[in-house]
Amino acid sequence: MTLLSVVLPVYKVQGYLRQCLDSLLEQRFTDFEVVAVDDCSPDHSGAILAEYAARDPRVRVVSLAENVGLGRARNAGLDHAVGEYVWFVDSDDWLAEGALTAVADRLADTAADVLIVGFDRVEWDGRVAVPGAGRLLAEAPETFTAQEWPRILNTLHVAWNKVVRRDLLLKLGFRFGTGWYEDVSFTFPLLAAAPRISGLSRICVHYRQRRTGAITRTLDDRHFEVFDHWAHAMTLVDRYSDSAEALRPVLFRRMMWHYLVVLRNAQRVPKASRRRFFDRIAEDYHRYKPAVGYRLPPGAMGLRHRLVARRAFVLFLALQWMIGVVRAVDRVRYLPLIEAEGLAKRVRQAAYRAYYRAQLRLPVDESLALYAAYWYRGVTCNPAAIASKAAELAPGVRSVWVVGRGRVTTVPPGTDYVIAGSASYYRALARARWLVNNVNWPNWAVKRPGTTHLMTHHGTPLKMMGMDQADHPAAAKDQDFHAQMRRADRWDFSITANAHTTIAWERAYPCRHEILEVGYPRNDRLATATAADTAVVRDQLGIRPHERVVLYTPTHREWLPLGRQVLDVEAFADLLGPDTVLLVRAHYFAVTDEHGAPARRGRIVDVSAYPVVEDLYLAADVMVTDYSSAMFDFAVLDRPIVIYAPDWPAYRELRGVYFDLMELPPGEVATTVSELAEVFATAAYESAGAAEKRASFRRRFCYLDDGKAAERVVRRVLLGEAAP
C-alpha cells in the first residue's frame, strides 16, 4: 500500500500551482501519490495539472464537472485516495524540503492516527513568521489523545497541517462540510475522536498569506458561515468523543478566539454587518459556555470576553479604538524635518500637486484617454498600438500622450501630447477617463471612481517580476513591494501575451484586476508584416539588399555597471564576415543619448536610441540575445534566434527566472564566443533542429499573435464590449 495520498484541491491557483507540485515531486521520499482535484478551475490550472500528470505517474487528476468548493473537492480526492494516510494540502502552499521524509519517519515511530506538523507563514511581501505551533508541538507527549493533552486544540484549525490515517476517516464517516471555514467542523471532531495523536514540530508547510484571493482577505457576509461550522463541530465532538464535557472549556475558548479574530479583521466582516456578527458571537457565548465555567484569557482578550457576555457592542468598539490609538502612537518615532536643500523644487511640486488635487474635484473627461510608455519616453510599445487602433474603432475617444520634455521631438506629427510635469499634464492625469501605460503611473496618482486604468506591460517575462523578486533582492531595483502593489491596485485591466504570462503576472501582481489574455498589441504589426514592409525598413536603415542583418539585443543586469556588455560586439562583427550588418540594441536603461540616430561604424550600427524597435525586428534576418524579452516578440516573425548565454547560472540565481531557457530555447544556444562563432560559421542557426526549437517556442508563447490583439483590447476596455 502507498504510505501517503496527498489530496490537492485546485481552484484558481495558476500562479502558485507549479511551486506546490514541484515541492512535492522533488522530495527525496517517493512512497506517495498526488490526487489533484481540478475543481472546474476557470484559469490555466487544469493545463498545468495535465502537464505534470503526463510526466509523473504519481500525479492523478480528478476533474470535476462543476465547481463544488474546497470541502467537497477534498471529499472527492479522499474518495480516490489509496494511501494508508491522507494529507490535504492546499495548492497555493508548498512543502518544505525533506518534509515527506520527516513525516514518514514520525509515522513509523509513533503509528499515529493523526500527525500534526509545524509550519511557517510566508507573507505576500516575503516576510516569514514562525507561529508558536512549533513550540507547542515540541512540548507535546510522543503520542496522546485530546483528553490527555487538550492543549493540542489550540493548534491552527486547518486540514493542511494534519496527516490522517485514512481508515480512521472512513470508520468515522468524516466528510468536509460545504462553504467557508469547513476546516473547523473537520479539525476539532477529528482531534476529539483520534485514539492516537502525535506532533512534528519541524516546519513542513510554507503557509502562503495571499494578498488577494484568500478567504481571510475577502470582505463578505459569508464569514457568518463560521457559526454554522462551529455548531456542527460541537455536535460532532459530542457524537465521537466520550470526553466531550472535559474538552468543552478548551473548545469554548478556542471558539471565542476564532470568532473575535474574524470580527476584528477589517478585511473580513463588512462594516455594516459587524453589529450583527457581534450579536451572533454573544448568542454562542451563552449557548456554549461550559456549565463548569472556564478560565478567561489574560489581557485585552479577556476584556473582550466580558463585553461579549454583556452584549456591549459599543464598549467593544471603544476598546478596539483605544487599542488602535495606543498602537499608532507607539509606531510614531519621529517627524520628518524639511531640509533647506531643494526647497524651491519641493515648493513648486507642492503647487502642482495642489493643482492636481483641485482638478480631481472636477468631472472626469469622458472622452479623454491618456497614454504613456516607458516613463514618458515617447509614443511607442503596446500603448501606441492601442492608441492607433482606438483612432479607428473608437473615434469619439481623444488620445493624448505624456512625453518627457526632452522627448518632444520624437512625437509623431499630429499627435496630441502634454509634457510631463506641466500643468496640462496634471490636469490630464486628474481628469482622463482612461489611463493606459506600459509601466506604472506615479505613486501619488489617484485612481478616481469612474476611470479605467489599463496596464499593458512591455514584455513576456523570463526574469521574475513584481512580488516574485522578493526572493531575489540582488536584482530588485525597487524593493518597496508594498508601494509596487499599491500602484498595481489601481489597475482595472492587465494585458498578457499568453498563458505563461498570465500565470507569471498572477503571482507577481496579486491584485484585483481583470486579466486580458489577448496577446501584445505591439506585435500586431509583426504578425501581419509582409516582405514589402521589411524592404522599406531596411532601406530606411541604409541596409543593402545583399546584406545579412543580425540584431543583437542584450538584456540588463542589475549587478553590472550600466553599459557593460557581456559580448565584444566588434570582435563578434568580425566573426560574422563582410556581408553582415550587426545592429546593436542596448537595453534602454543604458541609453544616454535618447536622440541619437543610428550610427554606423563599419559593419556595426548602434540602434540603441532608435525609437521603433519593431522596425529593427523587421529589418533583421536573425536575432542574437541573451535573456531579453525581445526574443518573444521577434519569434512572432518566425525568424532564427540565437541565445548567447555566457552567465546563465548566475543570471538564473541572481535574477530569478520563470522557466529554464536552456531547456526551452527558441533556437541554438551558445555559452561561449567560440560556440557563438560556430553557430554562424556552420549556419546552425537556420538548421532544421533550430527551426524545430523555434516552432516549439512559438507554440507556447506566440499562439495569440494573429494581428488582432489591439482590436481585442480596444473593444473590451474603451468600447466596453464583453470579453470574447
Side-chain angles (χ1 to χ4, degrees):
M1 178 185 293
T2 299
L3 177 67
L4 180 63
S5 292
V6 177
V7 173
L8 198 68
V10 174
Y11 183 74
K12 295 179 72 171
V13 288
Q14 60 186 4
Y16 312 108
L17 184 54
R18 292 183 189 278
Q19 183 179 22
C20 178
L21 289 168
D22 289 342
S23 75
L24 284 161
L25 301 176
E26 293 173 1
Q27 299 271 330
R28 295 183 65 182
F29 180 84
T30 60
D31 188 16
F32 70 95
E33 64 167 356
V34 177
V35 182
V37 182
D38 180 2
D39 190 14
C40 204
S41 186
D43 58 5
H44 296 289
S45 295
I48 295 172
L49 290 178
E51 171 193 330
Y52 276 78
R55 71 174 189 236
D56 196 316
R58 292 175 295 176
V59 179
R60 291 192 289 126
V61 179
V62 178
S63 298
L64 303 183
E66 61 179 352
N67 176 242
V68 299
L70 179 59
R72 291 174 62 188
R74 285 173 172 166
N75 293 337
L78 176 60
D79 291 340
H80 287 80
V82 299
E84 183 179 354
Y85 288 88
V86 180
W87 192 353
F88 299 99
V89 174
D90 282 359
S91 49
D92 53 357
D93 299 333
W94 71 104
L95 298 194
E97 184 177 351
L100 291 185
T101 298
V103 165
D105 290 345
R106 187 66 174 172
L107 291 174
D109 292 341
T110 63
D113 297 295
V114 178
L115 176 64
I116 304 177
V117 302
F119 63 93
D120 58 15
R121 297 177 187 266
V122 183
E123 297 292 337
W124 64 266
D125 59 3
R127 292 176 292 121
V128 178
V130 180
R135 294 190 298 274
L136 181 67
L137 294 174
E139 297 170 2
E142 184 173 271
T143 60
F144 54 90
T145 64
Q147 183 179 8
E148 293 168 344
W149 205 67
R151 290 175 62 193
I152 197 61
L153 298 178
N154 291 322
T155 57
L156 190 61
H157 52 265
V158 290
W160 49 257
N161 67 352
K162 299 171 183 69
V163 183
V164 187
R165 190 182 297 277
R166 189 164 60 93
D167 281 350
L168 175 63
L169 295 176
L170 298 179
K171 175 184 175 183
L172 297 173
F174 262 29
R175 308 292 283 179
F176 285 93
T178 59
W180 292 2
Y181 298 102
E182 74 291 331
D183 285 350
V184 168
S185 54
F186 172 81
T187 288
F188 295 108
L190 174 66
L191 294 179
R196 196 174 182 87
I197 304 172
S198 187
L200 177 61
S201 60
R202 181 192 194 279
I203 292 174
C204 293
V205 180
H206 298 304
Y207 176 28
R208 187 187 307 277
Q209 304 296 289
R210 292 173 63 173
R211 187 169 183 268
T212 58
I215 290 173
T216 54
R217 295 178 185 269
T218 302
L219 199 65
D220 198 293
D221 275 347
R222 289 196 63 187
H223 290 287
F224 279 82
E225 295 175 20
V226 69
F227 298 108
D228 295 332
H229 281 288
W230 267 104
H232 191 42
M234 292 297 194
T235 299
L236 292 180
V237 168
D238 289 340
R239 179 188 306 171
Y240 291 132
S241 176
D242 296 331
S243 55
E245 284 303 315
L247 296 176
R248 184 73 68 195
V250 180
L251 276 175
F252 178 80
R253 270 185 50 150
R254 193 64 180 173
M255 178 189 75
M256 289 299 299
W257 169 86
H258 192 194
Y259 286 169
L260 291 169
V261 163
V262 175
L263 176 61
R264 290 159 54 213
N265 190 327
Q267 298 184 53
R268 297 201 200 184
V269 182
K271 188 174 182 179
S273 302
R274 289 175 191 168
R275 176 61 188 257
R276 185 160 52 92
F277 196 93
F278 180 87
D279 290 341
R280 288 290 304 273
I281 296 176
E283 289 176 16
D284 277 9
Y285 178 91
H286 292 286
R287 177 182 298 119
Y288 294 113
K289 182 181 176 182
V292 297
Y294 74 103
R295 183 169 55 87
L296 277 172
M301 184 60 78
L303 183 54
R304 293 186 184 102
H305 278 229
R306 290 189 176 94
L307 295 175
V308 168
R310 293 170 54 189
R311 305 181 189 272
F313 179 65
V314 174
L315 290 176
F316 181 88
L317 291 181
L319 173 64
Q320 293 303 111
W321 179 82
M322 288 168 44
I323 293 173
V325 169
V326 171
R327 289 176 177 172
V329 171
D330 188 58
R331 285 195 295 266
V332 176
R333 301 300 184 194
Y334 62 90
L335 292 175
L337 299 177
I338 299 177
E339 300 177 3
E341 183 181 356
L343 181 58
K345 180 180 179 180
R346 284 196 293 274
V347 170
R348 186 170 60 253
Q349 288 178 340
Y352 275 129
R353 299 285 175 81
Y355 177 70
Y356 173 71
R357 288 191 292 272
Q359 289 292 317
L360 289 172
R361 295 178 177 273
L362 297 177
V364 170
D365 186 341
E366 296 292 339
S367 66
L368 176 59
L370 190 65
Y371 292 86
Y374 296 117
W375 302 277
Y376 313 145
R377 289 172 180 260
V379 180
T380 186
C381 194
N382 289 315
I386 294 168
S388 176
K389 184 57 66 172
E392 173 189 337
L393 298 179
V397 176
R398 181 167 59 95
S399 297
V400 174
W401 280 82
V402 182
V403 295
R405 190 172 301 277
R407 304 292 297 186
V408 170
T409 58
T410 68
V411 177
T415 301
D416 287 342
Y417 67 90
V418 294
I419 297 175
S422 66
S424 56
Y425 158 74
Y426 285 101
R427 182 171 59 252
L429 188 58
R431 301 186 62 186
R433 167 67 176 81
W434 294 275
L435 291 99
V436 182
N437 207 335
N438 70 353
V439 295
N440 276 305
W441 299 97
N443 284 340
W444 47 262
V446 175
K447 173 66 168 66
R448 295 185 64 174
T451 64
T452 299
H453 285 221
L454 169 63
M455 165 54 75
T456 73
H457 303 280
H458 53 272
T460 295
L462 169 63
K463 62 187 178 184
M464 288 190 172
M465 302 290 289
M467 285 308 311
D468 287 332
Q469 290 183 277
D471 294 330
H472 300 273
K477 293 184 65 177
D478 179 6
Q479 297 192 25
D480 188 348
F481 296 111
H482 288 262
Q484 282 194 44
M485 294 305 106
R486 285 194 297 271
R487 292 191 292 268
D489 281 336
R490 299 185 300 223
W491 305 347
D492 294 287
F493 296 96
S494 171
I495 295 177
T496 71
N498 41 53
H500 159 78
T501 309
T502 297
I503 294 167
W505 283 172
E506 182 161 312
R507 278 180 53 106
Y509 305 105
C511 306
R512 295 179 175 89
H513 51 254
E514 180 178 334
I515 290 176
L516 300 180
E517 189 178 304
V518 295
Y520 278 151
R522 69 185 183 193
N523 288 342
D524 288 351
R525 183 184 175 198
L526 304 180
T528 59
T530 64
D533 296 326
T534 295
V536 169
V537 172
R538 287 168 68 100
D539 183 63
Q540 291 173 348
L541 292 171
I543 298 169
R544 292 182 288 272
H546 70 279
E547 290 180 314
R548 176 180 62 174
V549 179
V550 176
L551 174 61
Y552 175 50
T553 58
T555 195
H556 174 63
R557 291 160 172 79
E558 287 81 359
W559 52 92
L560 294 180
L562 280 177
R564 179 183 293 181
Q565 297 183 355
V566 295
L567 177 64
D568 183 335
V569 293
E570 285 80 8
F572 180 47
D574 290 340
L575 292 172
L576 293 174
D579 292 328
T580 298
V581 175
L582 178 61
L583 304 180
V584 179
R585 175 81 168 184
H587 192 277
Y588 57 84
F589 284 171
V591 177
T592 56
D593 181 7
E594 296 185 344
H595 306 284
R600 184 161 184 168
R601 305 190 316 275
R603 293 187 296 274
I604 300 175
V605 183
D606 185 354
V607 291
S608 300
Y610 190 84
V612 185
V613 70
E614 288 80 16
D615 283 356
L616 306 180
Y617 296 155
L618 289 173
D621 296 299
V622 56
M623 171 183 281
V624 176
T625 188
D626 36 33
Y627 323 117
S628 171
S629 64
M631 74 178 84
F632 299 96
D633 301 326
F634 189 76
V636 176
L637 293 169
D638 199 14
R639 298 178 186 176
I641 302 173
V642 177
I643 299 298
Y644 176 58
D647 56 350
W648 171 249
Y651 188 88
R652 179 180 57 193
E653 181 67 24
L654 291 172
R655 191 59 175 85
V657 295
Y658 288 110
F659 67 94
D660 190 341
L661 183 62
M662 301 301 101
E663 292 186 0
L664 188 68
E668 293 301 292
V669 176
T671 59
T672 65
V673 173
S674 59
E675 290 178 357
L676 186 60
E678 181 72 11
V679 167
F680 280 91
T682 61
Y685 67 88
E686 54 184 359
S687 66
E692 184 177 344
K693 295 174 185 175
R694 187 169 69 253
S696 177
F697 190 86
R698 281 167 45 80
R699 283 193 296 271
R700 181 172 182 181
F701 298 110
C702 303
Y703 59 90
L704 289 173
D705 293 304
D706 58 359
K708 297 181 180 180
E711 178 179 344
R712 289 189 283 267
V713 172
V714 170
R715 291 192 180 281
R716 179 70 187 95
V717 179
L718 272 68
L719 299 179
E721 297 180 5

